[in-house]
Amino acid sequence: MGKTLDNVYKHQSLVYKYFLYVVSIALIVFFFPKGGKFKYEFQKGKPWQYENLYAPIDFSIKKTQKEIEEEKSSIRANKTDYYTYNASVVSDVRAEVAAELNTLFQSGNFSSQQRQSLRSLFEEVLEDIYTDGIFQTLPESESTVVVKNNEAQPVSPSDYLVLEQAKREISSRFSGANMVGAPRLTGILRNSLKANLFYDEALTESALSDELSKISYTRGEVDQGKLIIAKGEIVESEDFKILNSLKDEYESKLWMGSNYYFILLGYTVLVALVLIMLFLFLKRYRNEIFQNNNKVTFIFFNILLMVLATTLMTKHYENYIYMVPLCILPLVLKNFFDARLGLFVHVLTVLILGFVVPNSFEYIFLQTIAGIVTILTASELYKRANLFISVGQITLIYIVGYFAFHAIHEGNLQNIEWILFGVFVLNGLLTLFAQPLIYMFEKVFGLVSDVSLLELSDTNSKLLKELSDKAPGTFHHSLQVANLAEAAANEIGANAMLVRVGALYHDIGKMERPTYFTENQITNVNPHDDLPPKESAKIIVDHVINGIEIARKSNLPDRVIDFIRTHHGTTVVYYFYKKQQELDQEVDEEDFKYPGPIPFSKETAILMMSDAVEAASKSLKDPTFTIIDEFVEKIVKGQMQANQYLNANITLKEIEMVKKVLKQKLTNIYHLRVEYPE
């Protein structure tokens, strides 16, 4: 048991990768929609490439979403409006008119016969007018039903009275009545009249829901054994609908029963194969990333994020699947790592999503092309214009690709879904979110991007301003080293921005005791003259340790701190080492060595060469081409003999290219002229 635990502790980094691998597979398979995969791929307008297909089961031909929506729209447009007959309004009007008549009879001289005649007349008129009822305004719908006494009666609104018509009807009825008080009764009735047919929204909506629920989502049946399509036959519109119906039926039934576990196993194996390819790529071609669990976690997190977003969109809004800005993935990975890794991870992610998205060939083709365009066009993202240009090109690729596929499927440019152009534009706008996303990733995962490097390269930053105030000579030296290292990095294809930033900060530890370094001594007084060589060497060596402490307090990224740690590697402070030898032959070399580590990348190796060459060049007197050439060769050769580049992935050819750049730059600095023979 104890031995097993020891092995776990020794290989805990590998154990973590196994854990990450298994968890990622489980999450991706969990994200996938719960359904099987139809074994045939087909596209509208293209030949059927398989053998004759006969219906394996009885199934219904499903209507398309467009057809269903058209039916629903038609039902809504022709829906029946329900109005309720309110009898209480009639009673209220009758009571109100009766009260007004009583008041009229009391104020005037009416005989009992006249009173009876007027009452009979108003009752007769009210009965006639309210027999069917009165609308406030004429209904707009051609299909109208009035509910009276719990009976629904279809009516023609043109045959019904609205309130203003009813008032005119009263006036016409009384205009011919030759009796005392008729004009007064007309006014009373007109003023008291009210509409009693009211729109019943709840009943109307209920009836509409009833009609909508009766819509059939199928339009015919296909019996088992019937020929659906023959080999080589073009998949026409009707064939396409039947095949899609069979696909839906097949996939829904495939996920049931014991099939569930086989489908789950199949998905798991395929996703496992894709992710193992990623691990093999990292192990073989990006071993420094493979060894860093934080970076591996970052890559897997981005893959899972894109898979989750796409599968959710597939599940809920399948038609808008291209709204997911998948090109953020290569953008982010290229920004933090390199273009090759970004494209490789993007392609693997697209392959995973090809299992679940509709029209997988079309999706994989478009997303792969868009990813390639992203890698080829997105450079120097710290320049805002570059990101906008790249996003514009990505959007254009989506639009052109959609046109091409639509032309293949339909054979014409009719029935284009223009809303998809809005989806592609929205995809481009969401891709712009890569910038704030990169910033968030920097804070969460402790990575550094070109945008942050650009900010750090600003010589007006707080730390560099402090360096220029406390150690102006060191600051000037750092600027010169930054220029040399950046030019060398550009020559061999290394990260020039990273090298420049590393060079600017590599000597910040000298701020602690600036006068102990010759570039900051403005008088002839050298404080080392009063110190033993061993103590002087310790002060010189300590600038690396002090620099690391200052950098950590200032929250500099680890990738920048690496330059502080490695710019002297494990070399010896040669001047004081020799001086100590003059005093004592028995000298421990370890007392005069820098703590290291030695450079472990092209960038840190370039800085070591540039720093040593620039610092030593100050001692050159009357430099010539020959002197500079021998001088650079001697310094770099000494570092190579001290095995300082063993861990750096820099080749001998690249070292020669770096030396060539350093010689050219030093020649320009000293403004040498060609020496003509006398």
Side-chain angles (χ1 to χ4, degrees):
M1 182 67 180
K3 193 174 288 186
T4 304
L5 287 174
D6 285 343
N7 287 331
V8 171
Y9 291 139
K10 285 179 185 177
H11 303 94
Q12 57 181 332
S13 178
L14 197 57
V15 170
Y16 173 77
K17 290 182 180 68
Y18 283 131
F19 172 76
L20 183 64
Y21 178 67
V22 172
V23 169
S24 298
I25 294 171
L27 286 174
I28 290 173
V29 174
F30 175 76
F31 293 154
F32 279 180
K34 300 298 182 286
K37 193 71 176 174
F38 194 49
K39 59 184 176 181
Y40 301 112
E41 285 286 338
F42 56 90
Q43 289 185 337
K44 189 177 178 182
K46 298 188 78 175
W48 179 256
Q49 299 175 349
Y50 310 96
E51 296 299 323
N52 294 356
L53 179 63
Y54 296 90
I57 54 175
D58 294 333
F59 66 93
S60 302
I61 303 172
K62 294 184 177 179
K63 295 177 182 176
T64 63
Q65 193 62 35
K66 185 178 180 181
E67 289 173 333
I68 294 170
E69 287 302 323
E70 285 175 355
E71 280 192 44
K72 288 182 177 179
S73 298
S74 175
I75 290 173
R76 289 191 184 98
N78 299 304
K79 70 181 176 70
T80 300
D81 286 341
Y82 283 82
Y83 285 80
T84 304
Y85 184 95
N86 194 329
S88 63
V89 171
V90 181
S91 301
D92 292 342
V93 171
R94 182 176 279 108
E96 187 177 333
V97 173
E100 291 289 339
L101 276 179
N102 287 334
T103 305
L104 176 65
F105 293 157
Q106 290 172 5
S107 61
N109 296 319
F110 291 92
S111 66
S112 59
Q113 186 178 358
Q114 290 173 333
R115 292 180 184 181
Q116 185 59 39
S117 297
L118 286 174
R119 284 196 176 94
S120 298
L121 184 58
F122 106 78
E123 286 288 352
E124 180 185 338
V125 171
L126 279 182
E127 184 66 28
D128 290 345
I129 287 177
Y130 278 113
T131 296
D132 294 323
I134 302 173
F135 290 105
Q136 183 70 38
T137 55
L138 199 64
E140 296 179 2
S141 175
E142 293 182 4
S143 178
T144 305
V145 170
V146 172
V147 179
K148 182 179 180 182
N149 299 325
N150 294 324
E151 290 184 5
Q153 299 174 352
V155 299
S156 173
S158 59
D159 296 337
Y160 270 67
L161 294 174
V162 294
L163 190 58
E164 289 303 318
Q165 289 175 325
K167 289 181 179 180
R168 287 197 294 272
E169 178 71 17
I170 289 172
S171 298
S172 66
R173 290 283 294 271
F174 280 92
S175 61
N178 187 15
M179 60 177 67
V180 179
R184 292 287 304 275
L185 182 57
T186 301
I188 292 170
L189 276 173
R190 284 176 59 88
N191 292 335
S192 301
L193 205 62
K194 296 185 179 73
N196 75 320
L197 293 179
F198 300 105
Y199 179 67
D200 193 330
E201 185 177 359
L203 189 56
T204 302
E205 289 301 317
S206 175
L208 176 62
S209 299
D210 240 9
E211 289 297 315
L212 291 174
S213 68
K214 292 176 184 176
I215 291 177
S216 173
Y217 288 80
T218 62
R219 51 179 185 80
E221 298 282 332
V222 176
D223 297 326
Q224 183 177 358
K226 182 181 178 182
L227 177 65
I228 295 176
I229 191 167
K231 184 178 181 179
E233 187 179 338
I234 300 298
V235 179
E236 301 290 354
S237 178
E238 190 63 27
D239 298 325
F240 187 71
K241 292 174 183 176
I242 295 173
L243 287 169
N244 267 326
S245 299
L246 174 59
K247 179 182 176 182
D248 292 341
E249 187 74 17
Y250 184 82
E251 289 181 349
S252 63
K253 288 188 175 180
L254 194 63
W255 195 252
M256 299 176 182
S258 60
N259 293 332
Y260 173 88
Y261 300 102
F262 285 103
I263 294 170
L264 206 61
L265 176 64
Y267 275 143
T268 303
V269 170
L270 290 174
V271 173
L273 283 174
V274 172
L275 294 185
I276 201 66
M277 293 302 107
L278 176 56
F279 269 122
L280 290 174
F281 176 84
L282 293 175
K283 177 67 176 173
R284 184 173 180 83
Y285 298 106
R286 298 292 183 274
N287 194 50
E288 72 280 2
I289 296 176
F290 180 79
Q291 299 299 332
N292 189 321
N293 283 341
N294 183 52
K295 292 180 179 178
V296 173
T297 304
F298 172 70
I299 293 171
F300 273 77
F301 174 80
N302 277 276
I303 293 173
L304 291 173
L305 189 65
M306 289 302 160
V307 171
L308 173 61
T310 306
T311 50
L312 284 176
M313 188 62 73
T314 303
K315 185 177 180 181
H316 299 289
Y317 305 100
E318 187 178 277
N319 293 334
Y320 304 108
I321 193 168
Y322 287 101
M323 196 180 293
V324 179
L326 205 63
C327 288
I328 281 183
L329 184 60
L331 268 177
V332 169
L333 294 181
K334 181 184 178 182
N335 189 75
F336 285 114
F337 303 115
D338 61 86
R340 188 177 177 187
L341 176 60
L343 181 58
F344 189 82
V345 173
H346 176 74
V347 170
L348 291 183
T349 306
V350 170
L351 287 177
I352 290 174
L353 293 173
F355 300 145
V356 296
V357 296
N359 300 321
S360 57
F361 172 77
E362 179 181 327
Y363 181 84
I364 291 173
F365 182 89
L366 279 179
Q367 294 293 11
T368 302
I369 294 297
I372 293 171
V373 170
T374 303
I375 292 297
L376 293 177
T377 60
S379 59
E380 298 179 328
L381 289 183
Y382 52 84
K383 296 179 180 178
R384 288 171 296 180
N386 289 357
L387 181 59
F388 279 97
I389 292 170
S390 180
V391 166
Q393 291 171 330
I394 293 167
T395 306
L396 182 62
I397 286 295
Y398 280 127
I399 292 173
V400 171
Y402 169 72
F403 262 119
F405 275 108
H406 184 83
I408 292 171
H409 295 163
E410 300 291 337
N412 54 56
L413 294 180
Q414 297 174 1
N415 301 321
I416 290 178
E417 295 183 40
W418 296 103
I419 192 171
L420 281 178
F421 293 106
V423 170
F424 294 139
V425 171
L426 185 58
N427 178 295
L429 294 175
L430 290 174
T431 304
L432 293 173
F433 189 68
Q435 280 284 25
L437 199 62
I438 287 169
Y439 176 78
M440 288 189 285
F441 284 151
E442 285 182 324
K443 300 305 177 186
V444 174
F445 290 93
L447 300 172
V448 58
S449 68
D450 285 350
V451 179
S452 294
L453 290 176
L454 182 67
E455 294 173 355
L456 290 170
S457 67
D458 183 7
T459 53
N460 287 317
S461 65
K462 182 180 178 183
L463 195 55
L464 291 180
K465 286 286 284 184
E466 187 179 355
L467 177 64
S468 67
D469 291 339
K470 292 183 178 180
T474 298
F475 178 71
H476 180 72
H477 158 73
S478 298
L479 287 176
Q480 295 282 57
V481 173
N483 292 333
L484 291 174
E486 184 178 19
N490 281 323
E491 184 69 20
I492 67 170
N495 190 331
M497 179 66 76
L498 179 62
V499 172
R500 180 172 185 83
V501 173
L504 289 173
Y505 290 90
H506 78 283
D507 270 343
I508 56 174
K510 292 181 179 180
M511 286 193 296
E512 293 292 313
R513 306 177 84 170
T515 56
Y516 284 85
F517 300 89
T518 54
E519 67 266 25
N520 298 312
Q521 294 170 359
I522 56 177
T523 65
N524 292 328
V525 178
N526 189 340
H528 288 291
D529 294 340
D530 300 326
L531 297 174
K534 189 174 179 180
E535 190 172 336
S536 292
K538 185 178 184 309
I539 292 172
I540 299 299
V541 169
D542 280 350
H543 89 272
V544 173
I545 308 300
N546 294 334
I548 294 171
E549 291 176 356
I550 292 170
R552 293 204 183 284
K553 288 178 183 177
S554 302
N555 294 318
L556 290 185
D558 287 338
R559 289 180 73 188
V560 176
I561 296 175
D562 287 340
F563 288 91
I564 301 173
R565 295 164 55 216
T566 61
H567 74 278
H568 285 297
T570 55
T571 56
V572 175
V573 185
Y574 194 72
Y575 177 81
F576 292 110
Y577 175 69
K578 283 295 182 183
K579 202 170 180 181
Q580 182 66 32
Q581 279 187 328
E582 294 173 5
L583 301 175
D584 183 5
Q585 289 297 321
E586 298 295 327
V587 181
D588 186 358
E589 192 178 277
E590 293 298 321
D591 293 334
F592 294 85
K593 268 190 176 182
Y594 285 96
I598 60 176
F600 46 79
S601 65
K602 289 180 183 180
E603 290 78 13
T604 50
I606 290 170
L607 178 62
M608 173 178 270
M609 287 184 255
S610 304
D611 181 43
V613 166
E614 202 286 328
S617 68
K618 297 293 191 292
S619 62
L620 292 176
K621 296 178 181 178
D622 301 322
T624 62
F625 290 112
T626 305
I627 291 174
I628 289 177
D629 184 81
E630 292 175 352
F631 164 75
V632 173
E633 291 289 343
K634 178 183 176 183
I635 289 178
V636 176
K637 183 180 178 182
Q639 291 175 338
M640 292 177 68
Q641 288 175 342
N643 297 324
Q644 295 300 301
Y645 305 138
L646 285 181
N647 293 343
N649 59 337
I650 189 168
T651 64
L652 289 173
K653 181 181 178 181
E654 288 171 336
I655 291 175
E656 290 299 319
M657 293 167 70
V658 171
K659 288 193 293 187
K660 181 181 176 182
V661 171
L662 294 177
K663 292 170 187 176
Q664 289 174 345
K665 289 293 181 181
L666 286 178
T667 300
N668 293 335
I669 289 171
Y670 290 107
H671 305 289
L672 297 182
R673 297 290 184 269
V674 176
E675 294 183 7
Y676 293 96
E678 295 181 1

